[in-house]
Amino acid sequence: MTSIKDVARRAGVAVSTVSKVVNGYPNVSEETREKVNGAVRELNFTPNTIASALSSKRAGRVALLINQSTQAVDEVAMQYLSGAINRAQEEKLDVITVFFSMIRDRGVDDIVRYFQAQSIEGLLIYGMGRDDDVLHAMIDGQQFKVVAVDAPFVNENTSCVGIDHAQAQYDVAKKTLRENRGKAVLYIAGKKDGYVTRERLAGMWRLAQEEGLSLTVHRGDFSEKKARELTFAHGAGADMISCASDLMAIGAMRALQEMDIFRPVCGFDGITLMGYAGKQMNTVKQDFRRVSAVAMEEMARLLEGGTGRRLTPGYELVRMQYLDIIS
Amino acid sequence: MTSIKDVARRAGVAVSTVSKVVNGYPNVSEETREKVNGAVRELNFTPNTIASALSSKRAGRVALLINQSTQAVDEVAMQYLSGAINRAQEEKLDVITVFFSMIRDRGVDDIVRYFQAQSIEGLLIYGMGRDDDVLHAMIDGQQFKVVAVDAPFVNENTSCVGIDHAQAQYDVAKKTLRENRGKAVLYIAGKKDGYVTRERLAGMWRLAQEEGLSLTVHRGDFSEKKARELTFAHGAGADMISCASDLMAIGAMRALQEMDIFRPVCGFDGITLMGYAGKQMNTVKQDFRRVSAVAMEEMARLLEGGTGRRLTPGYELVRMQYLDIIS
DNA sequence: CTGTTAGCGCCTTCAG
DNA sequence: CTGAAGGCGCTAACAG
């Protein structure tokens, strides 16, 4: 474990000088900088982040709070994780992953202390619902920098990132409508306390209003099975079915197939599912990995002293094919 | 940020005494222990892990190296992560997650330095293949404690955990065989350089030998699609199809269905897939979360000074039903 | 521009 | 059984 001292000795300078060079401070002559860098290379020196953190009071550690099983498959969570972790490495941030289940039943200040003890300065929150009191408290507390993905919070220390779900839902449903015809729309929404559920629904309402549609709404809780059942119950009476997730869209298509009727269906997510639906559909493609990377970038900005804001990455509408096996 | 000093002052003792109490050292009188604990509670004190790590040289940090997309769905990776992370918290270990993709193209000593700078002492490796040179080097280097999941390595500082794949494959295939009849078996194996692929295949060979089966082997690379194609090509000529993963078994069943013939099928994994196969099948049920927890426990033991060994958690054979939507 | 000197918060001998 | 003192490796004023 070669330390900064060794480097200093090797280069014939003081430790502080080495520190300056290593951390890219300006006031060091080109000459000594060379010397130091040489020594660093020869000794294969890499600064000890622990010591650095303790000394500088800047640990650069952030926690990824992820809510499993709230929505679709775990594939989404993996995308989020991978996007965030990769970007974190580039931003030189240290990441620890925390599942909601690990903290949900603990008190707020218990959790706060836990994070503080861990020198965690920032929280990336994925999949927060309106009923997650602990998280709301942590955001309000402002003790941490937080970036909430798909939950509408902004304050001095809090940013949020997420596509414009209302607009996206509006767009994809409208497109599907244009390609077909009809006035009666069955909308299979998400979960009761989800933020995205609410926003997407708002988009549907706007469309319904503008187009004079008769909109029937049911909650499918992002479950394929429920969507299937809802479609059995209400699908025949509708001219088109719009779903708040691809998974539910698959369920709906599956039901339609069994009922042996055709109705245009649109989904939301653009994830790679293995499923056999037998039809094509329009969907909103969100790139979870990219969104998560943006979130991590935003976290880096906040940690640098930036102030909270709202970010809305773009999305695209695509036509996905579930005719055959997708793997 | 209340520190150990505050506690010491509050309790009227020296910092070292507080440290002893907090870390559960023996030589402290019951009386002062009480005093200190009282102060700790009143001041809501939690030791700063960063400082503790720096001072004690024991950071208790481990990295989870996970290899995405090598096998089955991401669901498996999530199970692994969640199992490991939860257990880590109980063991008071700090965890960082690293994806192979982040390090695969870097040199070994580059990676070693990176981990050392991060004060990482242990590596949990998931999904290593026979061609992962970097990982092999890290294991041989013995600079870290490592626990390899499903890869056969043991040395002073390395343990491995994984069910007995050969036996499990043998068992499930045999069971399926007994419930039906036939001599010609199509075995759809995994990936070229996978350790589990090799072991499972060995199990199949043993069974074939014992039962006098004629065994046809093809690699399906854990892909549903490939398994489906292989089944179209060779399924009709076989009396039974054994697959090295559930996902592939689904593919095989799907093909059989389209071919409108019946053949018993068995899989491996016992994961929750959403798929429509139309049949039941036997499978080896692995609890990835539990295996991962065991791995983390083993890591804790190694860090305590334990020496490497091989662990083989149990598994069970179950009958899974893919007749309808599983969500 | 470079070196000296305090700490960061905690652990750990080592006297008392 | 308890407390004082010396670091862990690095950063950040502050002199020089």
Side-chain angles (χ1 to χ4, degrees), chain A residues 120-150:
Chain A
I120 282 170
E121 309 168 305
L123 270 30
L124 279 274
I125 303 181
Y126 299 92
M128 176 167 61
R130 277 187 289 161
D131 53 345
D132 285 314
D133 307 319
V134 194
L135 297 178
H136 285 103
M138 312 225 43
I139 290 176
D140 291 338
Q142 303 226 28
Q143 334 207 359
F144 304 97
K145 304 290 184 181
V146 359
V147 175
V149 174
D150 283 337

PDB file of all heavy atoms in Angstrom, chain A residues 120-150:
ATOM      1  N   ILE A 120     -22.890   9.111   3.399  1.00  0.00           N
ATOM      2  CA  ILE A 120     -23.614   9.218   2.141  1.00  0.00           C
ATOM      3  C   ILE A 120     -24.187  10.615   1.994  1.00  0.00           C
ATOM      4  O   ILE A 120     -24.801  11.156   2.916  1.00  0.00           O
ATOM      5  CB  ILE A 120     -24.716   8.152   2.073  1.00  0.00           C
ATOM      6  CG1 ILE A 120     -24.060   6.831   1.718  1.00  0.00           C
ATOM      7  CG2 ILE A 120     -25.782   8.514   1.055  1.00  0.00           C
ATOM      8  CD1 ILE A 120     -24.942   5.655   1.842  1.00  0.00           C
ATOM      9  N   GLU A 121     -23.932  11.204   0.853  1.00  0.00           N
ATOM     10  CA  GLU A 121     -24.326  12.595   0.661  1.00  0.00           C
ATOM     11  C   GLU A 121     -25.509  12.755  -0.277  1.00  0.00           C
ATOM     12  O   GLU A 121     -26.131  13.806  -0.314  1.00  0.00           O
ATOM     13  CB  GLU A 121     -23.146  13.368   0.099  1.00  0.00           C
ATOM     14  CG  GLU A 121     -21.891  13.167   0.913  1.00  0.00           C
ATOM     15  CD  GLU A 121     -20.665  13.701   0.199  1.00  0.00           C
ATOM     16  OE1 GLU A 121     -20.421  13.296  -0.953  1.00  0.00           O
ATOM     17  OE2 GLU A 121     -19.969  14.519   0.797  1.00  0.00           O
ATOM     18  N   GLY A 122     -25.755  11.717  -1.045  1.00  0.00           N
ATOM     19  CA  GLY A 122     -26.826  11.853  -2.015  1.00  0.00           C
ATOM     20  C   GLY A 122     -27.663  10.595  -2.156  1.00  0.00           C
ATOM     21  O   GLY A 122     -27.191   9.483  -1.926  1.00  0.00           O
ATOM     22  N   LEU A 123     -28.913  10.795  -2.521  1.00  0.00           N
ATOM     23  CA  LEU A 123     -29.843   9.684  -2.690  1.00  0.00           C
ATOM     24  C   LEU A 123     -30.460   9.734  -4.081  1.00  0.00           C
ATOM     25  O   LEU A 123     -31.020  10.757  -4.484  1.00  0.00           O
ATOM     26  CB  LEU A 123     -30.971   9.819  -1.670  1.00  0.00           C
ATOM     27  CG  LEU A 123     -30.882   9.191  -0.283  1.00  0.00           C
ATOM     28  CD1 LEU A 123     -29.460   9.104   0.223  1.00  0.00           C
ATOM     29  CD2 LEU A 123     -31.739   9.991   0.695  1.00  0.00           C
ATOM     30  N   LEU A 124     -30.362   8.630  -4.776  1.00  0.00           N
ATOM     31  CA  LEU A 124     -31.086   8.506  -6.041  1.00  0.00           C
ATOM     32  C   LEU A 124     -32.276   7.614  -5.747  1.00  0.00           C
ATOM     33  O   LEU A 124     -32.098   6.496  -5.277  1.00  0.00           O
ATOM     34  CB  LEU A 124     -30.253   7.789  -7.100  1.00  0.00           C
ATOM     35  CG  LEU A 124     -29.175   8.443  -7.930  1.00  0.00           C
ATOM     36  CD1 LEU A 124     -29.758   9.088  -9.163  1.00  0.00           C
ATOM     37  CD2 LEU A 124     -28.355   9.403  -7.139  1.00  0.00           C
ATOM     38  N   ILE A 125     -33.451   8.114  -6.019  1.00  0.00           N
ATOM     39  CA  ILE A 125     -34.636   7.341  -5.669  1.00  0.00           C
ATOM     40  C   ILE A 125     -35.386   6.852  -6.907  1.00  0.00           C
ATOM     41  O   ILE A 125     -35.758   7.647  -7.763  1.00  0.00           O
ATOM     42  CB  ILE A 125     -35.579   8.188  -4.800  1.00  0.00           C
ATOM     43  CG1 ILE A 125     -34.824   8.658  -3.556  1.00  0.00           C
ATOM     44  CG2 ILE A 125     -36.797   7.382  -4.400  1.00  0.00           C
ATOM     45  CD1 ILE A 125     -35.674   9.486  -2.621  1.00  0.00           C
ATOM     46  N   TYR A 126     -35.593   5.565  -6.955  1.00  0.00           N
ATOM     47  CA  TYR A 126     -36.299   4.973  -8.091  1.00  0.00           C
ATOM     48  C   TYR A 126     -37.610   4.339  -7.642  1.00  0.00           C
ATOM     49  O   TYR A 126     -37.627   3.561  -6.698  1.00  0.00           O
ATOM     50  CB  TYR A 126     -35.453   3.877  -8.731  1.00  0.00           C
ATOM     51  CG  TYR A 126     -34.141   4.366  -9.268  1.00  0.00           C
ATOM     52  CD1 TYR A 126     -32.996   4.344  -8.482  1.00  0.00           C
ATOM     53  CD2 TYR A 126     -34.050   4.870 -10.560  1.00  0.00           C
ATOM     54  CE1 TYR A 126     -31.782   4.800  -8.979  1.00  0.00           C
ATOM     55  CE2 TYR A 126     -32.848   5.326 -11.058  1.00  0.00           C
ATOM     56  CZ  TYR A 126     -31.724   5.288 -10.258  1.00  0.00           C
ATOM     57  OH  TYR A 126     -30.528   5.731 -10.752  1.00  0.00           O
ATOM     58  N   GLY A 127     -38.659   4.683  -8.302  1.00  0.00           N
ATOM     59  CA  GLY A 127     -39.926   4.017  -8.041  1.00  0.00           C
ATOM     60  C   GLY A 127     -40.631   4.416  -6.763  1.00  0.00           C
ATOM     61  O   GLY A 127     -41.315   3.618  -6.142  1.00  0.00           O
ATOM     62  N   MET A 128     -40.474   5.666  -6.379  1.00  0.00           N
ATOM     63  CA  MET A 128     -41.159   6.129  -5.177  1.00  0.00           C
ATOM     64  C   MET A 128     -42.654   6.306  -5.458  1.00  0.00           C
ATOM     65  O   MET A 128     -43.050   6.772  -6.516  1.00  0.00           O
ATOM     66  CB  MET A 128     -40.574   7.461  -4.747  1.00  0.00           C
ATOM     67  CG  MET A 128     -41.299   8.071  -3.563  1.00  0.00           C
ATOM     68  SD  MET A 128     -40.388   9.444  -2.845  1.00  0.00           S
ATOM     69  CE  MET A 128     -40.324  10.566  -4.185  1.00  0.00           C
ATOM     70  N   GLY A 129     -43.459   5.921  -4.499  1.00  0.00           N
ATOM     71  CA  GLY A 129     -44.895   6.109  -4.644  1.00  0.00           C
ATOM     72  C   GLY A 129     -45.380   7.234  -3.744  1.00  0.00           C
ATOM     73  O   GLY A 129     -44.634   7.739  -2.903  1.00  0.00           O
ATOM     74  N   ARG A 130     -46.610   7.595  -3.913  1.00  0.00           N
ATOM     75  CA  ARG A 130     -47.136   8.713  -3.124  1.00  0.00           C
ATOM     76  C   ARG A 130     -47.292   8.357  -1.655  1.00  0.00           C
ATOM     77  O   ARG A 130     -47.447   9.220  -0.806  1.00  0.00           O
ATOM     78  CB  ARG A 130     -48.492   9.145  -3.698  1.00  0.00           C
ATOM     79  CG  ARG A 130     -48.342  10.089  -4.869  1.00  0.00           C
ATOM     80  CD  ARG A 130     -49.677  10.621  -5.298  1.00  0.00           C
ATOM     81  NE  ARG A 130     -50.472   9.591  -5.937  1.00  0.00           N
ATOM     82  CZ  ARG A 130     -51.795   9.658  -6.077  1.00  0.00           C
ATOM     83  NH1 ARG A 130     -52.449  10.706  -5.612  1.00  0.00           N
ATOM     84  NH2 ARG A 130     -52.451   8.682  -6.671  1.00  0.00           N
ATOM     85  N   ASP A 131     -47.250   7.069  -1.373  1.00  0.00           N
ATOM     86  CA  ASP A 131     -47.445   6.654   0.014  1.00  0.00           C
ATOM     87  C   ASP A 131     -46.129   6.326   0.720  1.00  0.00           C
ATOM     88  O   ASP A 131     -46.131   5.784   1.818  1.00  0.00           O
ATOM     89  CB  ASP A 131     -48.374   5.445   0.052  1.00  0.00           C
ATOM     90  CG  ASP A 131     -47.876   4.336  -0.870  1.00  0.00           C
ATOM     91  OD1 ASP A 131     -47.008   4.619  -1.721  1.00  0.00           O
ATOM     92  OD2 ASP A 131     -48.355   3.207  -0.737  1.00  0.00           O
ATOM     93  N   ASP A 132     -45.033   6.661   0.103  1.00  0.00           N
ATOM     94  CA  ASP A 132     -43.749   6.376   0.743  1.00  0.00           C
ATOM     95  C   ASP A 132     -43.342   7.531   1.663  1.00  0.00           C
ATOM     96  O   ASP A 132     -42.527   8.384   1.313  1.00  0.00           O
ATOM     97  CB  ASP A 132     -42.676   6.131  -0.324  1.00  0.00           C
ATOM     98  CG  ASP A 132     -42.826   4.776  -0.979  1.00  0.00           C
ATOM     99  OD1 ASP A 132     -43.014   3.794  -0.238  1.00  0.00           O
ATOM    100  OD2 ASP A 132     -42.778   4.702  -2.217  1.00  0.00           O
ATOM    101  N   ASP A 133     -43.874   7.500   2.839  1.00  0.00           N
ATOM    102  CA  ASP A 133     -43.689   8.609   3.771  1.00  0.00           C
ATOM    103  C   ASP A 133     -42.234   8.840   4.140  1.00  0.00           C
ATOM    104  O   ASP A 133     -41.779   9.974   4.224  1.00  0.00           O
ATOM    105  CB  ASP A 133     -44.488   8.334   5.044  1.00  0.00           C
ATOM    106  CG  ASP A 133     -45.929   8.026   4.720  1.00  0.00           C
ATOM    107  OD1 ASP A 133     -46.477   8.714   3.834  1.00  0.00           O
ATOM    108  OD2 ASP A 133     -46.502   7.107   5.342  1.00  0.00           O
ATOM    109  N   VAL A 134     -41.532   7.763   4.366  1.00  0.00           N
ATOM    110  CA  VAL A 134     -40.136   7.889   4.764  1.00  0.00           C
ATOM    111  C   VAL A 134     -39.364   8.697   3.732  1.00  0.00           C
ATOM    112  O   VAL A 134     -38.619   9.613   4.063  1.00  0.00           O
ATOM    113  CB  VAL A 134     -39.488   6.502   4.906  1.00  0.00           C
ATOM    114  CG1 VAL A 134     -38.185   6.604   5.639  1.00  0.00           C
ATOM    115  CG2 VAL A 134     -40.426   5.547   5.613  1.00  0.00           C
ATOM    116  N   LEU A 135     -39.575   8.351   2.495  1.00  0.00           N
ATOM    117  CA  LEU A 135     -38.853   9.037   1.445  1.00  0.00           C
ATOM    118  C   LEU A 135     -39.251  10.504   1.358  1.00  0.00           C
ATOM    119  O   LEU A 135     -38.415  11.382   1.177  1.00  0.00           O
ATOM    120  CB  LEU A 135     -39.098   8.339   0.110  1.00  0.00           C
ATOM    121  CG  LEU A 135     -38.572   6.907   0.068  1.00  0.00           C
ATOM    122  CD1 LEU A 135     -38.878   6.257  -1.265  1.00  0.00           C
ATOM    123  CD2 LEU A 135     -37.077   6.900   0.324  1.00  0.00           C
ATOM    124  N   HIS A 136     -40.518  10.743   1.506  1.00  0.00           N
ATOM    125  CA  HIS A 136     -40.960  12.131   1.481  1.00  0.00           C
ATOM    126  C   HIS A 136     -40.277  12.919   2.584  1.00  0.00           C
ATOM    127  O   HIS A 136     -39.833  14.044   2.385  1.00  0.00           O
ATOM    128  CB  HIS A 136     -42.482  12.210   1.653  1.00  0.00           C
ATOM    129  CG  HIS A 136     -43.241  11.811   0.437  1.00  0.00           C
ATOM    130  ND1 HIS A 136     -43.868  10.594   0.314  1.00  0.00           N
ATOM    131  CD2 HIS A 136     -43.445  12.448  -0.734  1.00  0.00           C
ATOM    132  CE1 HIS A 136     -44.438  10.522  -0.877  1.00  0.00           C
ATOM    133  NE2 HIS A 136     -44.191  11.621  -1.535  1.00  0.00           N
ATOM    134  N   ALA A 137     -40.187  12.284   3.730  1.00  0.00           N
ATOM    135  CA  ALA A 137     -39.545  12.953   4.861  1.00  0.00           C
ATOM    136  C   ALA A 137     -38.075  13.241   4.555  1.00  0.00           C
ATOM    137  O   ALA A 137     -37.561  14.307   4.873  1.00  0.00           O
ATOM    138  CB  ALA A 137     -39.659  12.090   6.108  1.00  0.00           C
ATOM    139  N   MET A 138     -37.433  12.298   3.919  1.00  0.00           N
ATOM    140  CA  MET A 138     -36.012  12.498   3.633  1.00  0.00           C
ATOM    141  C   MET A 138     -35.819  13.628   2.635  1.00  0.00           C
ATOM    142  O   MET A 138     -34.850  14.378   2.699  1.00  0.00           O
ATOM    143  CB  MET A 138     -35.404  11.223   3.057  1.00  0.00           C
ATOM    144  CG  MET A 138     -35.766   9.983   3.854  1.00  0.00           C
ATOM    145  SD  MET A 138     -34.385   8.885   4.165  1.00  0.00           S
ATOM    146  CE  MET A 138     -33.139  10.019   4.595  1.00  0.00           C
ATOM    147  N   ILE A 139     -36.755  13.728   1.727  1.00  0.00           N
ATOM    148  CA  ILE A 139     -36.657  14.807   0.744  1.00  0.00           C
ATOM    149  C   ILE A 139     -36.892  16.151   1.426  1.00  0.00           C
ATOM    150  O   ILE A 139     -36.157  17.110   1.217  1.00  0.00           O
ATOM    151  CB  ILE A 139     -37.687  14.595  -0.385  1.00  0.00           C
ATOM    152  CG1 ILE A 139     -37.277  13.393  -1.238  1.00  0.00           C
ATOM    153  CG2 ILE A 139     -37.811  15.843  -1.229  1.00  0.00           C
ATOM    154  CD1 ILE A 139     -38.269  13.037  -2.321  1.00  0.00           C
ATOM    155  N   ASP A 140     -37.904  16.193   2.260  1.00  0.00           N
ATOM    156  CA  ASP A 140     -38.214  17.441   2.948  1.00  0.00           C
ATOM    157  C   ASP A 140     -37.106  17.836   3.910  1.00  0.00           C
ATOM    158  O   ASP A 140     -36.808  19.009   4.084  1.00  0.00           O
ATOM    159  CB  ASP A 140     -39.529  17.288   3.728  1.00  0.00           C
ATOM    160  CG  ASP A 140     -40.721  17.160   2.785  1.00  0.00           C
ATOM    161  OD1 ASP A 140     -40.593  17.592   1.626  1.00  0.00           O
ATOM    162  OD2 ASP A 140     -41.764  16.625   3.211  1.00  0.00           O
ATOM    163  N   GLY A 141     -36.511  16.819   4.544  1.00  0.00           N
ATOM    164  CA  GLY A 141     -35.459  17.086   5.510  1.00  0.00           C
ATOM    165  C   GLY A 141     -34.277  17.834   4.913  1.00  0.00           C
ATOM    166  O   GLY A 141     -33.599  18.586   5.584  1.00  0.00           O
ATOM    167  N   GLN A 142     -34.052  17.631   3.632  1.00  0.00           N
ATOM    168  CA  GLN A 142     -32.963  18.294   2.913  1.00  0.00           C
ATOM    169  C   GLN A 142     -31.583  18.029   3.498  1.00  0.00           C
ATOM    170  O   GLN A 142     -30.689  18.857   3.391  1.00  0.00           O
ATOM    171  CB  GLN A 142     -33.200  19.803   2.868  1.00  0.00           C
ATOM    172  CG  GLN A 142     -34.519  20.169   2.251  1.00  0.00           C
ATOM    173  CD  GLN A 142     -34.376  21.300   1.246  1.00  0.00           C
ATOM    174  OE1 GLN A 142     -33.325  21.470   0.626  1.00  0.00           O
ATOM    175  NE2 GLN A 142     -35.421  22.078   1.073  1.00  0.00           N
ATOM    176  N   GLN A 143     -31.431  16.918   4.146  1.00  0.00           N
ATOM    177  CA  GLN A 143     -30.127  16.612   4.706  1.00  0.00           C
ATOM    178  C   GLN A 143     -29.248  15.969   3.646  1.00  0.00           C
ATOM    179  O   GLN A 143     -28.048  15.866   3.819  1.00  0.00           O
ATOM    180  CB  GLN A 143     -30.300  15.647   5.845  1.00  0.00           C
ATOM    181  CG  GLN A 143     -31.687  15.787   6.456  1.00  0.00           C
ATOM    182  CD  GLN A 143     -31.700  15.386   7.889  1.00  0.00           C
ATOM    183  OE1 GLN A 143     -30.726  15.014   8.400  1.00  0.00           O
ATOM    184  NE2 GLN A 143     -32.812  15.463   8.534  1.00  0.00           N
ATOM    185  N   PHE A 144     -29.894  15.524   2.593  1.00  0.00           N
ATOM    186  CA  PHE A 144     -29.137  14.903   1.518  1.00  0.00           C
ATOM    187  C   PHE A 144     -29.507  15.570   0.199  1.00  0.00           C
ATOM    188  O   PHE A 144     -30.592  16.122   0.060  1.00  0.00           O
ATOM    189  CB  PHE A 144     -29.483  13.422   1.404  1.00  0.00           C
ATOM    190  CG  PHE A 144     -29.268  12.648   2.671  1.00  0.00           C
ATOM    191  CD1 PHE A 144     -30.331  12.398   3.525  1.00  0.00           C
ATOM    192  CD2 PHE A 144     -28.009  12.182   3.004  1.00  0.00           C
ATOM    193  CE1 PHE A 144     -30.138  11.684   4.697  1.00  0.00           C
ATOM    194  CE2 PHE A 144     -27.811  11.479   4.174  1.00  0.00           C
ATOM    195  CZ  PHE A 144     -28.871  11.228   5.027  1.00  0.00           C
ATOM    196  N   LYS A 145     -28.613  15.462  -0.732  1.00  0.00           N
ATOM    197  CA  LYS A 145     -28.953  15.836  -2.083  1.00  0.00           C
ATOM    198  C   LYS A 145     -29.759  14.668  -2.618  1.00  0.00           C
ATOM    199  O   LYS A 145     -29.370  13.513  -2.403  1.00  0.00           O
ATOM    200  CB  LYS A 145     -27.699  15.987  -2.939  1.00  0.00           C
ATOM    201  CG  LYS A 145     -26.691  16.985  -2.379  1.00  0.00           C
ATOM    202  CD  LYS A 145     -27.209  18.392  -2.493  1.00  0.00           C
ATOM    203  CE  LYS A 145     -26.163  19.391  -2.012  1.00  0.00           C
ATOM    204  NZ  LYS A 145     -26.675  20.776  -2.092  1.00  0.00           N
ATOM    205  N   VAL A 146     -30.861  14.926  -3.243  1.00  0.00           N
ATOM    206  CA  VAL A 146     -31.565  13.787  -3.818  1.00  0.00           C
ATOM    207  C   VAL A 146     -32.012  14.042  -5.249  1.00  0.00           C
ATOM    208  O   VAL A 146     -32.313  15.173  -5.634  1.00  0.00           O
ATOM    209  CB  VAL A 146     -32.749  13.281  -2.929  1.00  0.00           C
ATOM    210  CG1 VAL A 146     -32.884  14.081  -1.667  1.00  0.00           C
ATOM    211  CG2 VAL A 146     -34.034  13.209  -3.685  1.00  0.00           C
ATOM    212  N   VAL A 147     -32.001  12.986  -6.003  1.00  0.00           N
ATOM    213  CA  VAL A 147     -32.545  13.019  -7.353  1.00  0.00           C
ATOM    214  C   VAL A 147     -33.618  11.942  -7.397  1.00  0.00           C
ATOM    215  O   VAL A 147     -33.336  10.766  -7.160  1.00  0.00           O
ATOM    216  CB  VAL A 147     -31.469  12.721  -8.409  1.00  0.00           C
ATOM    217  CG1 VAL A 147     -32.106  12.658  -9.791  1.00  0.00           C
ATOM    218  CG2 VAL A 147     -30.382  13.776  -8.391  1.00  0.00           C
ATOM    219  N   ALA A 148     -34.833  12.361  -7.639  1.00  0.00           N
ATOM    220  CA  ALA A 148     -35.938  11.414  -7.701  1.00  0.00           C
ATOM    221  C   ALA A 148     -36.262  11.117  -9.159  1.00  0.00           C
ATOM    222  O   ALA A 148     -36.449  12.027  -9.955  1.00  0.00           O
ATOM    223  CB  ALA A 148     -37.157  11.985  -6.999  1.00  0.00           C
ATOM    224  N   VAL A 149     -36.293   9.856  -9.469  1.00  0.00           N
ATOM    225  CA  VAL A 149     -36.639   9.466 -10.828  1.00  0.00           C
ATOM    226  C   VAL A 149     -38.140   9.211 -10.884  1.00  0.00           C
ATOM    227  O   VAL A 149     -38.673   8.431 -10.097  1.00  0.00           O
ATOM    228  CB  VAL A 149     -35.875   8.200 -11.254  1.00  0.00           C
ATOM    229  CG1 VAL A 149     -36.356   7.711 -12.606  1.00  0.00           C
ATOM    230  CG2 VAL A 149     -34.388   8.488 -11.288  1.00  0.00           C
ATOM    231  N   ASP A 150     -38.801   9.885 -11.768  1.00  0.00           N
ATOM    232  CA  ASP A 150     -40.244   9.714 -11.934  1.00  0.00           C
ATOM    233  C   ASP A 150     -41.072  10.029 -10.698  1.00  0.00           C
ATOM    234  O   ASP A 150     -42.037   9.323 -10.386  1.00  0.00           O
ATOM    235  CB  ASP A 150     -40.567   8.291 -12.394  1.00  0.00           C
ATOM    236  CG  ASP A 150     -40.263   8.102 -13.864  1.00  0.00           C
ATOM    237  OD1 ASP A 150     -40.232   9.106 -14.594  1.00  0.00           O
ATOM    238  OD2 ASP A 150     -40.060   6.952 -14.294  1.00  0.00           O
TER     239      ASP A 150
END
